[in-house]
Amino acid sequence: ADCRPMLVFARSSLKMLESRQGFELKILKALGTELTVQTQNMLYHLGEEWQKLAVWKLPPSKESSSLESVVHSELHLRTVPSKEEEIAGPPVASVLQAFAVLGELHTKLKIFGQLLLKYILKPLILYPSLQPLTEEQSDVFILRFQSEALTLDHSSPMEVFDKIKLIFEVLHKYLLNVPLEQPVEDKKDCRVTLAELLGDMIWEELSDCLIQNCLVNSIPTNSSKLEQYIEVIKSTEEFEKALKNMQFLKGDTTDLLKYARNVNSHFANKKCQDVIVAARNLMTSEIHNTVKITPDSCVALPRLPDPGARDHLKTQKTSKLVHHDVNLENETKLSQYTFSLPTCRISSSVEKLMELAYQTLLEATASTDQCCIQLFYSVRNIFQLFYDVVPTYHKENLQKLPQLAAIHHNNCMYIAHHLLTLGHQFRYRLTNILCDGAATFVDMVPGFRRLGMECFLAQMRVQRGEILERLSSARNFSNMDDEENYCAANKAIRQVLHQLKRLGKVWQDVLPVNIYCKAMGTLLNTALTEIVTRIAALEDISAEDADKLYSLCRTMVEEGPQVFTPLPEDDKNKKYQEEVPVYVQKWMTFKELMIILQANLQEIVDQWADGKGPLAAEFSAAEVKSLIRALFQNTERRAAALAKIK
């Protein structure tokens, strides 16, 4: 340290000489070389001294920042050993001042700061079980750690701040409280403390770690707990004040305190994030776990306070989600079934999703304006996320499994049903910004209805394709007197009926009865239409063929209605089986075809009744003539009959 003034003088003199002209460059070069040698020599000795002042004892582990590794880390700070050195000034001050003069202080301090962050400060933030231990000996101060068993996953900010404060108090006492003269040009006051320099280097990274791993976890998830957060804000203020007193921090409010004070915004962000995460987990869960909803499932929403009492709102919880009976206002109640959904099954996850939406809106009614707006749009985002995620995530199962397609259809209709009134129910409870018509979900209703219908219609197209494919193996229902052909046609008919019965079972108690009957009726109609078309296209039908075709058609007429089993109770299904002609458009056409297959010429003419009979209602004149030509030989009687069909 005694060489310091000489080196400074030599540097400044050499710089001055180099700026002048007329001097021998060789002399300057020799002086510069000697100066460099002396500087490096001094840096080497200073480095050795510095290593004695601050000794890091770190375990040789690859997992350098793990809890197990940190527990075995130690920092030894050498204290002033004798009064002689106190007179000359603390050794730490001399060494650090020398580093400052030589321009190496920043490098040494940066390395120290990174070690401090990695092995002491960040672990104390990340590991709640980690506790600092201090030990003061005659010539050294030792900082080590121990791990305690804890039940909580996160420490409170107050606990973390106390630990960090202890570290800085130790460093301030034995290392950082050293005023230095920095070789800064054009500045009158160039005296700074080591604490200031270190603070400039590591505070940004330290405060970011405190925010992301400590304050974030302390943000409440319920608005009722927001008042308790004032303790965290006070603790943050005291923490920063202590660091400023030690000159580690300077200036006004830092990002750490700004974050703590902006709790309402962070609460809203965290709440919104939690809501979206919970919603996505529900959307990616299994669809087939269902609950039954009925028009009688009318558990009402919690009673909302009067519009004028908004300032006194407290968050209310829904014990069970309203299914169907919706009170538009507190006083006036509509008819019990005005807004009811028919009995059907929906995914239990969708029921929970709707409950999450209601609870979030209830939370919004008790929040600040900004938070209220964020929570409202989070609920809208829930439904937008459902619209985007579910059809994609469950795409394969929705295509392959008709039951899931039906449940998804119900889910979409259920959501659309609630979206009709969801905004209106909370209209006067949300912030004024949203009250003027903005708090609505009605615009999303058509999209959800379309989403449900498109998925179910796609499944209907798949089932229709399978029916037609099975009937394509019936060999066009021609030459039924050939046993092989008859067996092929009979097998095709049986396969179609089996397919419809299987569908009837998987959609049973899932689809609303009216949708069930329309869907089954449409598919049965597809089968009957295909059979009628193929038989009507035959050019030659023998008497034996006609009998066999009639037998096949009778199987469809007798067993077709049996596939209609919308309810688990068999005795309740008879009503819907009797109403099959209502849902199957070609039912009477099929029955008329069967009559033609067994009738004589006169009976056919009577059924036609000059274009006014039941046969004329189902077939065109050309179709009837074609069937007559196929069924009967060319005789005068046939010609007379054909003449009457016009």
Side-chain angles (χ1 to χ4, degrees):
D2 296 334
C3 301
R4 212 170 49 205
M6 181 185 71
L7 283 171
V8 174
F9 175 75
R11 277 184 170 180
S12 60
S13 300
L14 183 61
K15 191 173 182 180
M16 179 187 69
L17 290 172
E18 286 176 342
S19 66
R20 297 183 181 180
Q21 295 180 353
F23 285 88
E24 287 291 332
L25 293 177
K26 288 183 180 180
I27 297 174
L28 293 178
K29 189 174 182 180
L31 287 171
T33 302
E34 180 62 23
L35 182 60
T36 301
V37 170
Q38 292 296 333
T39 301
Q40 292 302 317
N41 187 39
M42 177 165 282
L43 284 174
Y44 173 76
H45 290 294
L46 287 171
E48 285 192 326
E49 189 65 26
W50 171 248
Q51 287 181 354
K52 296 175 184 176
L53 293 172
V55 182
W56 289 93
K57 294 191 176 182
L58 307 173
S61 170
K62 294 180 181 178
E63 299 275 335
S64 55
S65 58
S66 67
L67 178 60
E68 293 77 10
S69 177
V70 171
V71 168
H72 296 98
S73 302
E74 292 183 10
L75 172 60
H76 292 214
L77 297 175
R78 181 176 144 198
T79 55
V80 180
S82 65
K83 291 183 178 179
E84 293 178 5
E85 289 193 3
E86 283 183 9
I87 297 169
V92 65
S94 301
V95 172
L96 293 173
Q97 183 62 66
F99 276 133
V101 170
L102 296 172
E104 288 293 316
L105 180 60
H106 186 273
T107 303
K108 294 294 182 184
L109 208 53
K110 186 175 182 180
I111 295 171
F112 179 82
Q114 290 304 310
L115 289 171
L116 188 66
L117 281 169
K118 186 173 183 179
Y119 291 101
I120 295 180
L121 299 178
K122 285 187 176 181
L124 286 174
I125 300 169
L126 295 174
Y127 305 118
S129 63
L130 201 63
Q131 298 294 332
L133 298 177
T134 59
E135 181 185 344
E136 191 168 6
Q137 298 180 0
S138 59
D139 61 345
V140 68
F141 182 88
I142 301 172
L143 180 63
R144 59 169 64 95
F145 304 96
Q146 71 177 15
S147 181
E148 298 178 352
L150 294 177
T151 55
L152 298 175
D153 293 333
H154 304 289
S155 294
S156 70
M158 289 69 81
E159 292 171 332
V160 173
F161 290 157
D162 286 342
K163 294 177 187 178
I164 301 296
K165 202 174 355 178
L166 172 64
I167 301 303
F168 281 114
E169 286 170 352
V170 168
L171 293 175
H172 186 264
K173 182 177 180 181
Y174 295 106
L175 184 67
L176 301 182
N177 192 22
V178 179
L180 302 170
E181 291 187 10
Q182 289 276 72
V184 182
E185 296 178 2
D186 302 326
K187 285 190 179 181
K188 295 179 181 178
D189 185 10
C190 58
R191 292 178 64 82
V192 296
T193 65
L194 197 63
E196 286 182 63
L197 295 176
L198 186 63
D200 287 339
M201 291 179 188
I202 70 170
W203 173 247
E204 185 177 348
E205 191 173 346
L206 177 61
S207 63
D208 185 60
C209 185
L210 281 166
I211 290 171
Q212 298 302 326
N213 299 285
C214 181
L215 289 183
V216 165
N217 299 323
S218 68
I219 300 295
T221 55
N222 194 299
S223 56
S224 63
K225 297 180 180 178
L226 277 174
E227 293 180 6
Q228 301 172 12
Y229 196 78
I230 193 70
E231 186 181 354
V232 175
I233 297 175
K234 287 181 179 178
S235 178
T236 308
E237 290 173 345
E238 291 170 3
F239 174 66
E240 290 197 351
K241 185 179 179 181
L243 295 189
K244 286 176 183 177
N245 290 338
M246 290 183 277
Q247 295 182 289
F248 180 80
L249 276 182
K250 56 187 177 182
D252 298 324
T253 308
T254 65
D255 290 341
L256 186 68
L257 189 53
K258 285 178 182 177
Y259 185 93
R261 286 175 175 170
N262 200 16
V263 62
N264 284 320
S265 175
H266 301 317
F267 163 73
N269 293 337
K270 184 174 183 178
K271 183 72 179 179
C272 293
Q273 183 180 352
D274 290 347
V275 165
I276 293 300
V277 169
R280 196 181 189 286
N281 289 338
L282 289 171
M283 292 171 202
T284 53
S285 62
E286 294 293 344
I287 296 177
H288 66 259
N289 295 324
T290 62
V291 293
K292 192 169 187 176
I293 56 171
T294 69
D296 296 320
S297 304
C298 53
V299 179
L301 277 173
R303 184 183 178 86
L304 291 172
D306 294 333
R310 186 177 185 278
D311 295 336
H312 306 292
L313 273 176
K314 296 295 180 183
T315 303
Q316 303 173 60
K317 295 182 179 179
T318 47
S319 57
K320 186 174 172 90
L321 179 64
V322 58
H323 285 308
H324 321 295
D325 191 22
V326 179
N327 292 341
L328 292 184
E329 295 186 33
N330 289 329
E331 300 297 330
T332 306
K333 183 176 180 181
L334 298 176
S335 167
Q336 182 182 358
Y337 300 116
T338 301
F339 286 101
S340 66
L341 276 175
T343 300
C344 64
R345 284 193 171 273
I346 64 168
S347 299
S348 58
S349 59
V350 168
E351 184 186 44
K352 291 174 185 174
L353 188 74
M354 192 57 65
E355 187 172 324
L356 177 67
Y358 275 96
Q359 288 175 339
T360 306
L361 286 177
L362 282 172
E363 185 91 36
T365 63
S367 302
T368 61
D369 284 359
Q370 182 58 40
C371 183
C372 177
I373 293 169
Q374 284 184 255
L375 289 175
F376 170 79
Y377 282 105
S378 279
V379 176
R380 281 189 62 93
N381 288 341
I382 286 176
F383 298 117
Q384 189 60 54
L385 194 66
F386 184 98
Y387 190 90
D388 295 333
V389 167
V390 171
T392 304
Y393 186 85
H394 298 285
K395 182 178 180 181
E396 188 175 345
N397 285 335
L398 291 176
Q399 289 174 343
K400 288 182 178 180
L401 305 175
Q403 186 185 45
L404 294 194
I407 295 171
H408 177 66
H409 165 272
N410 295 348
N411 289 343
C412 292
M413 295 306 169
Y414 176 81
I415 291 173
H417 164 75
H418 280 279
L419 292 179
L420 280 170
T421 56
L422 186 60
H424 190 87
Q425 293 171 70
F426 292 91
R427 180 180 177 188
Y428 299 110
R429 306 310 321 143
L430 299 172
T431 179
N432 293 333
I433 302 170
L434 294 172
C435 280
D436 300 330
T440 183
F441 296 87
V442 175
D443 57 305
M444 306 178 96
V445 170
F448 271 92
R449 287 176 175 168
R450 186 170 56 250
L451 186 67
M453 286 302 299
E454 285 177 353
C455 174
F456 190 66
L457 289 176
Q459 183 60 228
M460 288 287 288
R461 286 192 291 272
V462 170
Q463 297 301 326
R464 182 179 182 275
E466 290 184 12
I467 288 172
L468 295 177
E469 185 179 350
R470 288 186 166 99
L471 289 176
S472 68
S473 64
R475 303 188 182 183
N476 291 324
F477 295 95
S478 62
N479 301 322
M480 290 292 101
D481 52 350
D482 184 322
E483 188 63 26
E484 190 175 328
N485 284 0
Y486 176 75
C487 287
N490 187 54
K491 182 180 179 182
I493 293 287
R494 290 292 173 188
Q495 285 179 336
V496 168
L497 288 170
H498 178 71
Q499 176 186 339
L500 292 174
K501 284 179 182 176
R502 191 180 69 248
L503 271 179
K505 286 297 181 184
V506 298
W507 285 344
Q508 182 185 79
D509 202 38
V510 173
L511 284 171
V513 170
N514 64 324
I515 301 294
Y516 178 99
C517 291
K518 286 179 182 178
M520 294 301 295
T522 299
L523 294 175
L524 181 56
N525 191 69
T526 295
L528 298 186
T529 303
E530 181 69 6
I531 294 170
V532 169
T533 301
R534 297 204 177 215
I535 292 177
L538 295 175
E539 295 180 358
D540 184 27
I541 303 174
S542 67
E544 189 177 350
D545 284 347
D547 289 340
K548 293 287 182 68
L549 288 172
Y550 179 83
S551 176
L552 292 174
C553 290
R554 187 177 61 200
T555 301
M556 288 297 293
V557 169
E558 290 175 353
E559 298 186 24
Q562 295 174 18
V563 304
F564 283 70
T565 54
L567 302 174
E569 304 86 355
D570 288 336
D571 57 327
K572 293 184 179 180
N573 290 323
K574 290 180 181 179
K575 171 190 173 186
Y576 304 104
Q577 292 169 359
E578 291 168 357
E579 294 176 353
V580 163
V582 176
Y583 305 108
V584 183
Q585 185 182 358
K586 292 291 184 179
W587 185 261
M588 295 311 298
T589 305
F590 198 75
K591 295 285 291 264
E592 286 298 318
L593 176 65
M594 291 177 66
I595 291 172
I596 292 175
L597 290 173
Q598 290 290 290
N600 57 39
L601 283 170
Q602 186 57 49
E603 288 171 338
I604 293 174
V605 171
D606 291 344
Q607 284 288 105
W608 181 259
D610 294 329
K612 298 175 183 177
L615 182 58
E618 306 300 335
F619 287 97
S620 67
E623 289 172 330
V624 174
K625 286 181 178 181
S626 177
L627 281 167
I628 290 174
R629 291 189 183 100
L631 286 163
F632 300 95
Q633 293 182 347
N634 189 5
T635 63
E636 290 182 5
R637 290 184 66 226
R638 190 184 83 169
L642 288 172
K644 294 179 181 179
I645 307 297
K646 55 185 177 180

